Amino acid sequence: MDWRNRASCLNIPTNIFFPGTDKQTDKRYWDTHTMCRKCPVNVDCLADALNNNYEIGLFCMPERVRRRFKAKPPKNLFITMRETFTTLDIIAAEFNKDGSLLRKRCLRCNRKSKGFPKDFQNWGGRSHICVSCHIAISNNKQADKLLDREKPSKALPEFDSHGQLITKKCTKCWERKEADQFSKRPQGIGGKTSWCKACTRKNLEQWVARQKSVE
Ligand code: SF4
Ligand SMILES: [Zn+2]
Ligand SMILES: [Zn+2]
């Protein structure tokens, strides 16, 4: 049986994948990503897109992701698929009742924000970088490079209205902890290390123990 017969988008008009062609809300556009993510044949669809120069297949992929795949075809389609869609969890978009975007996570500053410029080439029909970040890097010569960088953090930090870190996940034990459970590190998210104090201590103790056993 042709994989297309098992596609989640079977019998769905393809224009839902292309915002701007119809009355398209942010929510509706977002839903297409969710549909492709759960689609049982998304790997076949990606393979087809690769074989057909991206003219067809995997409609929900933002243009920039397609460009990246085109420049460097993925080696393992399953892993690529999983990693690509993991970004959706991190962005965690929320919507208003009318389908417009309420807030999502900025992939540069990692804050949940309400202000994102329109950008139909990106997840949810909005830029993945918030307005404040756009302004912050607008004078930077490397701005284009920065805008093209998609490095979501799995630490899922929460900030207060003053931009101070409240909690984030330790990237060693993956527990969500209060900001004071992390040591200072200016380059880190929220000005803190990515490992919590307990994990850092444990790691140090293990290192000392290993050194002693060598002696
Ligand atoms: S992954 Fe491909 S086949 Fe599946 S819903 Fe998305 S566009 Fe359709
Ligand atoms: Zn930002
Ligand atoms: Zn930890």
Side-chain angles (χ1 to χ4, degrees):
M1 193 169 76
D2 192 332
W3 62 266
R4 283 182 191 81
N5 294 330
R6 290 185 290 128
S8 300
C9 61
L10 190 74
N11 301 327
I12 288 178
T14 46
N15 65 0
I16 70 151
F17 290 99
F18 302 103
T21 52
D22 207 349
K23 273 207 171 141
Q24 189 70 264
T25 63
D26 294 323
K27 166 93 173 69
R28 215 171 144 200
Y29 185 29
W30 187 260
D31 286 346
T32 61
H33 306 319
T34 321
M35 178 166 72
C36 291
R37 178 194 214 182
K38 289 184 188 154
C39 174
V41 293
N42 56 17
V43 172
D44 304 80
C45 187
L46 174 60
D48 211 47
L50 288 167
N51 292 336
N52 290 288
N53 216 14
Y54 300 87
E55 294 304 323
I56 55 163
L58 210 68
F59 298 115
C60 75
M61 283 283 163
E63 193 52 38
R64 58 201 310 282
V65 176
R66 288 162 176 261
R67 274 207 310 267
R68 205 174 56 207
F69 286 167
K70 207 169 184 173
K72 198 175 170 220
K75 281 191 193 124
N76 185 319
L77 296 187
F78 283 98
I79 293 176
T80 304
M81 208 65 172
R82 202 180 54 214
E83 282 175 355
T84 306
F85 284 123
T86 300
T87 315
L88 294 186
D89 291 335
I90 294 168
I91 295 172
E94 297 164 53
F95 300 90
N96 295 307
K97 279 204 180 93
D98 65 359
S100 58
L101 182 78
L102 172 62
R103 60 172 84 86
K104 64 172 185 165
R105 191 179 302 280
C106 164
L107 290 189
R108 182 170 178 269
C109 65
N110 289 295
R111 287 172 167 79
K112 274 247 180 158
S113 167
K114 291 186 176 178
F116 286 87
K118 269 202 166 38
D119 175 358
F120 290 142
Q121 296 192 344
N122 244 305
W123 301 104
R126 298 273 169 168
S127 169
H128 61 286
I129 290 183
C130 72
V131 172
S132 322
C133 282
H134 271 278
I135 294 169
I137 60 179
S138 62
N139 292 328
N140 191 320
K141 282 187 193 134
Q142 299 283 312
D144 284 348
K145 271 194 188 154
L146 283 169
L147 282 172
D148 218 36
R149 196 173 61 185
E150 196 171 279
K151 248 193 179 172
S153 164
K154 291 180 183 164
L156 303 180
E158 299 296 341
F159 298 91
D160 66 14
S161 54
H162 304 290
Q164 291 295 316
L165 182 75
I166 308 170
T167 67
K168 67 173 178 174
K169 284 190 179 184
C170 162
T171 57
K172 177 85 173 150
C173 65
W174 296 107
E175 271 178 50
R176 180 169 287 283
K177 297 195 169 181
E178 302 281 329
D180 64 4
Q181 297 300 306
F182 296 86
S183 304
K184 254 195 186 163
R185 183 167 183 265
Q187 312 94 304
I189 292 172
K192 300 282 183 173
T193 50
S194 38
W195 286 10
C196 69
K197 285 179 183 170
C199 285
T200 312
R201 201 182 314 120
K202 209 160 138 195
N203 193 52
L204 183 68
E205 281 166 10
Q206 283 169 351
W207 183 82
V208 170
R210 272 201 307 276
Q211 295 305 309
K212 278 190 181 151
S213 66
V214 175
E215 281 167 16

